[in-house]
Structures are given as structure tokens and as C-alpha cells.
Amino acid sequence: IAVNEMSIVVDAPTPSEIRKIRKEVGTQEYCARKVGINLSNWQRWERGETKPHVSTWALFLLSTDRHPHYKLKALKKQDSVA
């Protein structure tokens, strides 16, 4: 990675950051499904009992259009791989 490129990985969030973003996005269950974890794991994140892995958190931010540096782009039909 070049020095001027930003990493897709972000710092692990605090429980209050997790709750804030989740309330903007939807339910705990919906958010847990976005990153492929079960509801109880998401709830542990919000209570501060465990922390999300930074790559899992980055995936969540990307999938909910909240990543600070990147946005996902839908492929056009001609861009898709055959």
C-alpha cells in the first residue's frame, strides 16, 4: 500500500459508537446479519463485553455506507465479470 492510500481497516469502535450507528441503521438483528454474526454477539459489542474485529467493523461500515474513507459502488451490467 502506498503511503497516501487509506486503509480499509478502521479503529475498533466504542460501545456508544456501535449503538449510535446501529440506531441510525436499524435493529440489532439487522446489523448483526449485515456482518454475519448472531444477535447475542452484536449485543455483547453494544454492552462493551467484547469488541468487533476491526475487519468485521470495516465490513459493517462499508455495507451501511458509513465507512469514513470508502463507499461501495454497484457494478453496471457491462462491468460485471462473466
Side-chain angles (χ1 to χ4, degrees):
I1 295 178
V3 174
N4 62 349
E5 290 182 15
M6 297 198 178
S7 173
I8 196 167
V9 176
V10 293
D11 292 334
T14 65
S16 61
E17 291 170 328
I18 295 170
R19 282 189 302 275
K20 178 184 179 291
I21 292 175
R22 188 261 303 159
K23 289 177 182 180
E24 295 170 0
V25 172
T27 66
Q28 290 177 330
E29 187 174 342
Y30 172 80
C31 292
R33 280 196 316 262
K34 289 293 262 182
V35 290
I37 64 171
N38 62 42
L39 176 59
S40 63
N41 282 340
W42 184 275
Q43 292 168 335
R44 283 194 280 277
W45 290 0
E46 287 197 14
R47 289 191 302 264
E49 295 172 7
T50 60
K51 289 185 177 187
H53 189 277
V54 290
S55 61
T56 304
W57 186 244
L59 172 65
F60 176 74
L61 294 176
L62 284 167
S63 69
T64 58
D65 202 30
R66 283 167 173 67
H67 196 282
H69 309 299
Y70 295 99
K71 303 288 180 207
L72 293 179
K73 177 183 167 189
L75 292 176
K76 297 176 188 166
K77 190 163 185 136
Q78 69 267 21
D79 293 338
S80 61
V81 178

